Amino acid sequence: MNAEAITVSTDAKLLAHLHATSFDDAWSDVFFETMLGQMGVTALATRDGFILMRCVAGEAEVLTLAVDPASRGHGLGYRLVEAGLVLALAHAATRCFLEVAEDNAPAIAIYRKAGFATISERNDYYTRGPYKIRALMMEWRTQNTST
């Protein structure tokens, strides 16, 4: 697979399209435009996936990550997370947070591979039809950050 370059994106329509390939409750292009206008929010993307990050006051957050289903299984999700962490470090972040549905094993595996650890849980956070799914709260820290 060709490793397409990951670049900063302001293409809200592309982000909304990719988000819709991964989430039932997809965010609109208007929502992405609003998010991208907020302080510290950056999208890093290829034509097949993106990560939306917020980096403010020494901390970072993965707001969302999406990879087109046709492009999954080739490492793009991990590459996007790594690029997001590089962005966080460039903004002097020493910690990065995210939340992920406990039933999203592929995403959890990517985050763990990148060095994230589960720090807490939120019960009944996501909805899957009639079911409620717990969210795992995960954190990544730079190596030299003390607890």
Side-chain angles (χ1 to χ4, degrees), residues 2-144:
N2 183 10
E4 184 181 356
I6 297 171
T7 60
V8 172
S9 177
T10 57
D11 186 344
K13 289 188 186 314
L14 172 67
L15 301 177
H17 166 74
L18 289 169
H19 201 260
T21 69
S22 297
F23 297 95
D24 292 335
D25 55 346
W27 299 349
S28 70
D29 57 333
V30 172
F31 184 81
F32 276 103
E33 287 174 5
T34 300
M35 291 297 294
L36 291 168
Q38 292 180 4
M39 181 175 74
V41 175
T42 303
L44 301 174
T46 71
R47 70 175 176 264
D48 297 320
F50 74 93
I51 189 167
L52 188 67
M53 300 285 298
R54 181 187 332 260
C55 302
V56 179
E59 293 185 347
E61 179 183 7
V62 176
L63 299 171
T64 193
L65 169 73
V67 175
D68 186 295
S71 298
R72 293 181 187 160
H74 301 285
L76 178 57
Y78 180 75
R79 287 181 49 233
L80 289 164
V81 171
E82 287 287 292
L85 293 175
V86 168
L87 177 72
L89 289 170
H91 285 86
T94 58
R95 304 184 320 167
C96 183
F97 298 94
L98 62 85
E99 56 199 30
V100 60
E102 71 175 344
D103 65 347
N104 192 343
I108 293 167
I110 289 169
Y111 296 136
R112 286 192 175 137
K113 181 178 176 184
F116 284 84
T118 302
I119 57 171
S120 67
E121 300 174 351
R122 289 185 179 162
N123 292 326
D124 301 335
Y125 191 75
Y126 295 104
T127 302
R128 301 272 193 271
Y131 303 102
K132 296 290 186 176
I133 306 295
R134 180 178 16 218
L136 303 180
M137 306 303 297
M138 301 183 82
E139 177 187 38
W140 171 92
R141 288 177 173 253
T142 59
Q143 295 297 327
N144 61 358

